[in-house]
């Protein structure tokens, strides 16, 4: 009996140790359904601002929007060719995200707020009830390479206080789960690393960089819409070959994977929870009804957008 009791106590101790170890392990999602690539949108070159050439994918006739995303532009040209920039223009009812890879852009609004987005930096701007601002190249030498993403706001937030979130390169955490794979996490989460951007609508914004032979597996909640935009090199995403200046739209599922075809492969991975509300857009105004668009232009003409009392650097 004594020997049996010792065996029992030994087994119990082992089971307790195993249970404790399991409790200490972080929960890992069980990924079941790979999101296929449902559509590939080639970039379309066009002129914006005061005559600056950009390449647009989301926001074209091929893909008017992908709820909650309204537009994605890539800016890639010598700084001297973009000197005219994007002079004063209004926004209401949505958010913009400006991502710089090379060069510097200076932001200035109608009530005196300003900032510079340097190489590797990001600005998340919540236009809310209204912002009037300009975006101009800070330097005229070297390359200028970056992106601007437009994100819709739900009706309840369209008239919120304007807000800026500026982050420089050093503020963006990098996940390096395996050799040859690095992920700049601007918003959302990847491999246990969380980005600094506070989003009103749940989403993720990743800058994925892979070298030859590297692989990625990224969970994306079911029900979210998303896409990848390839900006350098070539590789496969969810089994489909992608190349530069293409937006690759994800189908249903709970994750995507990616592999470099050889050499460098870099892309933005963007996904978010759809808002599922009517979208009425007239240029830089995005509301839910035509009447709200008309009111936006009346307010703009009457000087009722930004207020000096608002502090766009703090939350409401």
């Amino acid at each position: 009996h004594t020997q049996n009791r010792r065996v029992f106590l030994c087994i119990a101790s082992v089971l307790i140790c195993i249970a404790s170890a399991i409790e200490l392990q972080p929960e890992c999602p069980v990924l079941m359904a790979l999101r296929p690539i449902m559509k590939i949108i080639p970039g379309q070159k066009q002129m914006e601002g005061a005559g600056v050439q950009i390449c647009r994918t989301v926001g074209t006739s091929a893909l008017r929007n992908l709820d909650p995303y309204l537009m994605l532009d890539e800016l890639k040209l010598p700084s001297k060719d973009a000197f005219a920039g994007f002079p004063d223009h209004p926004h209401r009812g949505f958010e913009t995200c400006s991502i710089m890879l090379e060069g510097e852009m200076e932001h200035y609004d109608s009530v005196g707020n300003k900032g510079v987005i340097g190489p590797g930096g990001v600005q998340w701007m919540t236009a809310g009830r209204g912002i009037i601002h300009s975006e101009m190249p800070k330097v005229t030498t070297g390359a200028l390479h970056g992106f601007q993403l437009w994100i819709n706001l739900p009706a309840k937030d369209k008239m919120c206080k304007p807000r800026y979130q500026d982050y420089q390169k050093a503020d963006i955490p990098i996940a390096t789960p395996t050799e040859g794979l690095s992920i700049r996490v601007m918003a959302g989460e990847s491999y246990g690393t969380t980005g600094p951007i506070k989003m009103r609508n749940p989403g993720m914004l990743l800058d994925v960089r892979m070298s030859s032979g590297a692989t990625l597996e990224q969970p994306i909640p079911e029900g979210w819409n998303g896409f990848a935009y390839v900006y350098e090199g070539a590789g496969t995403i969810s089994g489909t070959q992608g190349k530069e200046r293409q937006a690759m739209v994800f189908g249903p599922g709970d994750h995507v994977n990616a592999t470099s075809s050889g050499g460098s492969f870099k892309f933005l991975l963007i996904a978010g929870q759809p808002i599922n509300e009517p979208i009425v857009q007239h240029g830089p105004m995005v509301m839910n009804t035509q009447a709200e668009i008309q009111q936006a232009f009346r307010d703009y003409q009457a000087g009722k957008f930004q207020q000096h009392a608002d502090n766009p650097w703090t939350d409401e």
Side-chain angles (χ1 to χ4, degrees):
H1 292 294
T2 303
Q3 185 175 358
N4 289 342
R5 187 170 181 272
R6 287 175 180 169
V7 171
F8 174 79
L9 290 174
C10 183
I11 293 172
S13 298
V14 170
L15 291 175
I16 290 170
C17 289
I18 292 172
S20 299
I22 291 172
E23 288 179 2
L24 291 173
Q25 293 298 317
E27 291 186 14
C28 297
V30 178
L31 303 177
M32 302 294 291
L34 181 67
R35 287 175 172 259
I37 301 302
M38 301 297 290
K39 193 173 186 179
I40 294 179
I41 310 298
Q44 298 181 17
K45 294 181 180 179
Q46 58 190 75
M47 307 304 283
E48 283 293 338
V52 179
Q53 187 182 84
I54 54 89
C55 180
R56 181 169 297 166
T57 46
V58 180
T60 64
S61 58
L63 184 64
R64 183 55 57 196
N65 56 67
L66 184 67
D67 188 10
Y69 303 107
L70 304 165
M71 188 192 80
L72 178 69
D73 288 350
E74 180 180 20
L75 174 68
K76 187 177 183 180
L77 70 174
S79 295
K80 62 182 178 60
D81 294 342
F83 72 92
F86 306 87
D88 286 350
H89 55 279
H91 293 294
R92 172 178 277 186
F94 65 105
E95 301 179 289
T96 71
C97 181
S98 300
I99 304 166
M100 293 303 301
L101 300 181
E102 297 181 78
E104 297 180 343
M105 290 288 283
E106 185 170 34
H107 165 270
Y108 196 94
D109 73 20
S110 60
V111 296
N113 298 294
K114 62 181 179 178
V116 175
I117 311 169
V122 180
Q123 183 200 63
W124 188 278
M125 183 185 83
T126 302
R129 58 178 171 255
I131 276 178
I132 304 168
H133 75 153
S134 63
E135 298 155 292
M136 307 296 287
K138 181 70 172 173
V139 295
T140 55
T141 58
L144 195 63
H145 189 193
F147 309 91
Q148 187 162 95
L149 177 70
W150 286 15
I151 310 96
N152 197 17
L153 281 170
K156 66 181 180 64
D157 291 330
K158 284 188 176 292
M159 297 297 285
C160 69
K161 179 174 74 71
R163 175 82 164 94
Y164 301 133
Q165 298 179 64
D166 284 13
Y167 302 100
Q168 299 302 333
K169 181 179 179 179
D171 302 320
I172 308 298
I174 301 174
T176 54
T178 60
E179 185 176 352
L181 172 63
S182 68
I183 305 153
R184 297 199 323 131
V185 185
M186 295 170 277
E189 184 178 336
S190 182
Y191 290 93
T193 299
T194 302
I197 295 173
K198 297 178 182 178
M199 308 177 83
R200 285 180 172 268
N201 191 62
M204 67 173 60
L205 179 57
L206 311 176
D207 179 4
V208 180
R209 304 179 180 195
M210 310 176 72
S211 59
S212 181
T215 60
L216 164 87
E217 187 171 77
Q218 176 63 43
I220 300 174
E222 291 188 76
W224 285 18
N225 290 329
F227 65 100
Y229 180 81
V230 181
Y231 68 87
E232 184 178 306
T236 59
I237 298 177
S238 291
T240 299
Q241 185 71 27
K243 60 182 182 180
E244 292 179 14
R245 295 200 159 182
Q246 285 184 341
M248 306 175 71
V249 181
F250 306 144
D254 61 12
H255 71 287
V256 296
N257 58 28
T259 305
S260 172
S261 294
S264 177
F265 184 36
K266 300 179 182 180
F267 59 92
L268 299 179
L269 196 159
I270 301 166
Q273 181 176 291
I275 296 170
N276 295 320
E277 293 178 354
I279 298 173
V280 180
Q281 180 173 353
H282 189 98
M285 313 290 193
V286 184
M287 303 300 289
N288 297 106
T289 68
Q290 190 61 43
E292 290 171 336
I293 291 290
Q294 293 168 355
Q295 184 62 52
F297 278 99
R298 285 195 293 269
D299 289 348
Y300 171 55
Q301 292 163 357
K304 295 181 179 179
F305 265 33
Q306 281 187 273
Q307 305 298 319
H308 283 276
D310 288 340
N311 182 354
W313 302 104
T314 61
D315 290 328
E316 287 186 288

